[in-house]
Amino acid sequence: MTTAAPAVEADGLIKTYPGGVTALDGMGITVAAGTVFGLLGPNGAGKSTTVKILTTLARPDSGTALVAGHDALRHPDRVRRAIGVVAQKSGADPVATGRENLLLQGRLYGRRGAELGRRADELLERFDLAAAGGRLVRTYSGGMQRRLDVALGLMHRPQVLFLDEPTTGLDPEARTAMWEEISRLAGEEGLTILLTTHYLEEADRLAERIAIVDRGRVVAEGTPDELKGELRGDAVHVELRDTPDEVDARLLATALGEFAAVREVTVDGRRLSARADDGPAAVPHVLAVLDRQGAAVATVTVARPSLDDVYLRYAGRRFADADTGTGGSAAKAAVPATSAGGAR
Amino acid sequence: MSTETLYQTWYMTQRQLMAILRQPVFLVITLVQPVIWLFLFGSLFRKVVELPGFGAGSYLDYLVPGVVVMSAVSSNMWAGMGTLEEIERGTLNRFLTTPVSRTALMNANVVQQGCSTAVQSVLIVLLGKLGGADYPGGIGGLLLLLLASVLLGTIFGAGSNAVGMLVRQRESIIGINSFLLLPLTFLSSAFMAPGLMPSWMRHIADFNPVNWALVAGRSAMSADPDWGDVLSRGGALLALAVAAVWLSTRTFHSYQQSV
């Protein structure tokens, strides 16, 4: 396997769905072989569409996509042989056993005989499904099903593994277990992993490089540290005991602004935020300034920049606000409560 | 078709047959329903053979091919539901990202449905025999009835799959099926001798594939088959079945446009 050629090279992908919804608007990524690459963005940003194109499921309106050295548009069959896909939806057959699912998957790639059975058993063992291998998949827990999905994707030893939101819907414990498994996979046999996620923490923890996707395009790309480093410095958040009036708020901001170690001071209600090159060192000075202005302080926190801050900077909105899809269930749940309140 | 495609067709068929065997409730319903038809229609219409010009000696003799054909239609027209479920579950997408041949995927549906229809038809024929039905055309005639019902089932199964993949709504399949099943059955000679049908119905029945299967099957099962009828109706069924399968394979492409 040549390490020089990228495992995935997509450029200028444009995809419009019937009805005029633009899913991709010039999407492009390059994934070096043997690395874990994270596509990070809210639901609807275009992550899944990108994966569908790269895995030969969907075709773009225009653009190019090379996967494992093959053109996904002209030679989809060659790409299919080289990739493993773990889609958002499970896809395992619920009325077949875990082992039967694996055997069928292997057979579709032309694997036969004793090697096929050995590979299935090896994966069942590895994903802690050995005891459940003979049970119908519909009896599996969510975490077990997800592990089987990953095993299915690995059955034919692919060069590139696509993991489309591998931990969405899992409970925290199962999620941590899945993270460990993915980290372990990443070190193996030069496997390249393309991971999509809308969990900032997940991308931060698993991916060597991250592309932040918003509205069908990559808006920022780099290692997690590079992306966070571009924000220069720590965030200092101060919660005041009382909400300052408008004049006081402006006075506070001005007073802090004169102090060279902090910048980008904002006051929003009781919440005062600033950025500092060295957060901990700036705290005493900030407190001294506030004390002099007569503003009583409730709490002070210093935070290293998070990917959320990065997202805010490049996409121009908070991650949680943009992520309308996941917020959907909460929002829907809130609707009847609101209307009930209105009726009262 | 390559050997690999044949292997893949077999693996995918096996998967579907296992799934049916593992859902005993579904299995029992598909088998019990024809028994109910046989019993209900057999009792309800027993006396129609006494009508002048009906032509058959016992109504059960006349009814068995009718129930075989009606059951082939009614069980296959739900095939799209299974396809829909596989789409929603992500199973179809999983297969489409593997090198499996699209032909094998669709053929597996056809083979599985064909097997199910054949088993169901054999059971109805045996039940009829138990009830005292007489099959003067012998085993050859029965095999041709079986073939006709499998071809008819293929037409409706493939059509239902195509609807499932294009429309992707359970309600559409339910609507289409409830709309079609009874009119298609009653606009055929399933329960009533053609000679006693109003002439406008008889003319419509000439264009009804359900009736083609009945004409071909009944003729083959009679003591003195009219081979012209068997071949013309059988050939028409075969042509329509091939067209329906081709169409449903084509719907993969439009499905992939929309994922």
Side-chain angles (χ1 to χ4, degrees):
Chain A
M1 192 171 148
T2 51
T3 43
V8 176
E9 224 177 339
D11 194 34
L13 292 178
I14 292 180
K15 171 87 180 173
T16 312
Y17 282 110
V21 181
T22 304
L24 295 185
D25 188 13
M27 179 79 193
I29 47 167
T30 302
V31 181
T35 63
V36 181
F37 189 94
L39 277 183
L40 174 68
N43 285 337
K47 304 181 307 275
S48 281
T49 308
T50 306
V51 168
K52 279 176 182 164
I53 289 170
L54 294 175
T55 58
T56 77
L57 207 51
R59 292 180 70 88
D61 304 337
S62 63
T64 56
L66 284 175
V67 179
H70 305 293
D71 189 327
L73 305 175
R74 253 179 278 165
H75 303 292
D77 222 55
R78 294 183 200 166
V79 170
R80 286 174 195 141
R81 292 190 179 279
I83 60 169
V85 185
V86 180
Q88 259 179 58
K89 287 183 188 167
S90 163
D93 187 346
V95 279
T97 69
R99 192 165 190 276
E100 284 169 349
N101 267 291
L102 287 167
L103 292 177
L104 176 66
Q105 184 82 358
R107 285 180 178 130
L108 297 183
Y109 290 90
R111 307 294 153 102
R112 307 275 190 270
E115 200 269 331
L116 176 71
R118 266 201 304 277
R119 178 69 177 157
D121 292 332
E122 181 189 314
L123 287 170
L124 286 171
E125 189 72 44
R126 168 170 180 178
F127 285 92
D128 202 16
L129 293 168
R135 264 166 49 198
L136 296 188
V137 171
R138 67 172 169 214
T139 67
Y140 284 19
S141 70
M144 289 165 80
Q145 272 202 29
R146 214 62 190 126
R147 295 205 298 278
L148 178 66
D149 292 336
V150 179
L152 284 167
L154 290 170
M155 190 62 196
H156 62 293
R157 303 180 196 276
Q159 295 170 47
V160 184
L161 182 68
F162 290 87
L163 296 171
D164 197 0
E165 301 197 358
T167 64
T168 300
L170 293 187
D171 60 62
E173 201 180 326
R175 174 170 301 154
T176 311
M178 184 57 81
W179 282 351
E180 276 164 20
E181 195 48 57
I182 295 170
S183 308
R184 243 193 301 160
L185 278 174
E188 266 177 36
E189 311 161 18
L191 181 68
T192 308
I193 298 179
L194 194 149
L195 168 95
T196 78
T197 180
H198 61 232
Y199 296 121
L200 299 153
E201 195 189 351
E202 186 163 290
D204 201 359
R205 180 166 163 167
L206 296 174
E208 290 155 64
R209 284 186 77 79
I210 294 174
I212 294 179
V213 186
D214 189 51
R215 299 187 171 105
R217 287 175 305 114
V218 171
V219 290
E221 200 201 306
T223 65
D225 282 340
E226 275 169 13
L227 288 174
K228 287 183 274 187
E230 280 179 38
L231 287 176
R232 288 194 304 133
D234 304 332
V236 178
H237 300 294
V238 178
E239 200 171 328
L240 301 172
R241 201 160 287 158
D242 306 303
T243 310
D245 63 33
E246 220 171 290
V247 180
D248 283 346
R250 215 172 309 138
L251 277 174
L252 283 177
T254 315
L256 279 169
E258 280 165 7
F259 172 51
V262 299
R263 41 180 200 280
E264 298 172 39
V265 182
T266 57
V267 184
D268 182 13
R270 290 198 299 142
R271 197 174 151 85
L272 185 149
S273 301
R275 207 153 270 294
D277 288 325
D278 185 346
V283 168
H285 300 288
V286 171
L287 292 179
V289 171
L290 293 177
D291 191 38
R292 230 175 295 141
Q293 298 291 325
V297 171
T299 61
V300 183
T301 41
V302 177
R304 293 280 304 138
S306 69
L307 282 175
D308 198 15
D309 299 318
V310 180
Y311 187 80
L312 174 65
R313 165 148 175 209
Y314 288 103
R317 47 198 169 137
R318 285 255 156 224
F319 196 85
D321 299 335
D323 198 12
T324 46
T326 39
S329 56
K332 262 178 242 146
V335 170
T338 321
S339 53
R344 235 174 270 143
Chain B
M1 210 187 295
S2 72
T3 346
E4 190 58 30
T5 305
L6 284 178
Y7 272 124
Q8 290 173 350
T9 304
W10 164 238
Y11 295 134
M12 299 308 271
T13 308
Q14 195 187 24
R15 177 183 82 92
Q16 296 199 18
L17 289 174
M18 284 305 285
I20 293 179
L21 291 177
R22 279 173 176 153
Q23 287 163 292
V25 176
F26 174 76
L27 200 65
V28 167
I29 289 174
T30 357
L31 295 180
V32 164
Q33 205 180 25
V35 180
I36 296 174
W37 293 133
L38 214 52
F39 174 75
L40 278 183
F41 287 115
S43 314
L44 184 63
F45 295 135
R46 190 155 29 139
K47 292 229 152 83
V48 295
V49 281
E50 290 166 17
L51 289 170
F54 193 91
S58 111
Y59 189 61
L60 192 62
D61 289 8
Y62 188 81
L63 184 63
V64 167
V67 172
V68 164
V69 164
M70 184 186 181
S71 302
V73 174
S74 77
S75 56
N76 279 283
M77 62 179 13
W78 297 105
M81 291 296 228
T83 305
L84 210 60
E85 206 180 298
E86 300 237 300
I87 291 175
E88 284 168 2
R89 206 193 293 129
T91 312
L92 182 63
N93 280 1
R94 171 163 70 90
F95 289 140
L96 289 175
T97 59
T98 73
V100 71
S101 122
R102 276 58 186 150
T103 314
L105 278 182
M106 206 34 104
N107 283 355
N109 287 333
V110 175
V111 177
Q112 178 269 116
Q113 284 155 22
C115 291
S116 306
T117 310
V119 169
Q120 197 182 39
S121 306
V122 167
L123 282 170
I124 298 166
V125 166
L126 289 177
L127 275 169
K129 188 81 196 163
L130 272 177
D134 197 22
Y135 307 128
I139 194 84
L142 288 173
L143 282 175
L144 283 170
L145 171 72
L146 203 76
L147 185 64
S149 78
V150 167
L151 285 175
L152 186 69
T154 304
I155 294 168
F156 283 93
S160 178
N161 276 328
V163 172
M165 215 154 355
L166 288 175
V167 187
R168 282 196 259 164
Q169 268 185 329
R170 289 193 156 67
E171 293 76 9
S172 306
I173 298 180
I174 295 171
I176 291 173
N177 288 2
S178 346
F179 179 74
L180 283 181
L181 179 64
L182 290 180
L184 280 178
T185 312
F186 286 105
L187 286 168
S188 79
S189 55
F191 305 121
M192 182 56 77
L196 296 176
M197 283 162 76
S199 71
W200 64 271
M201 278 180 121
R202 212 165 42 230
H203 290 307
I204 295 176
D206 285 341
F207 297 96
N208 180 358
V210 177
N211 200 48
W212 301 345
L214 284 163
V215 170
R218 280 219 178 93
S219 187
M221 285 169 72
S222 67
D224 180 23
D226 179 338
W227 294 112
D229 275 358
V230 176
L231 280 177
S232 63
R233 306 306 200 281
L237 282 174
L238 181 65
L240 199 55
V242 169
V245 171
W246 177 80
L247 182 80
S248 72
T249 310
R250 292 290 304 166
T251 54
F252 267 132
H253 297 275
S254 61
Y255 168 74
Q256 282 195 251
Q257 289 299 312
S258 63
V259 279

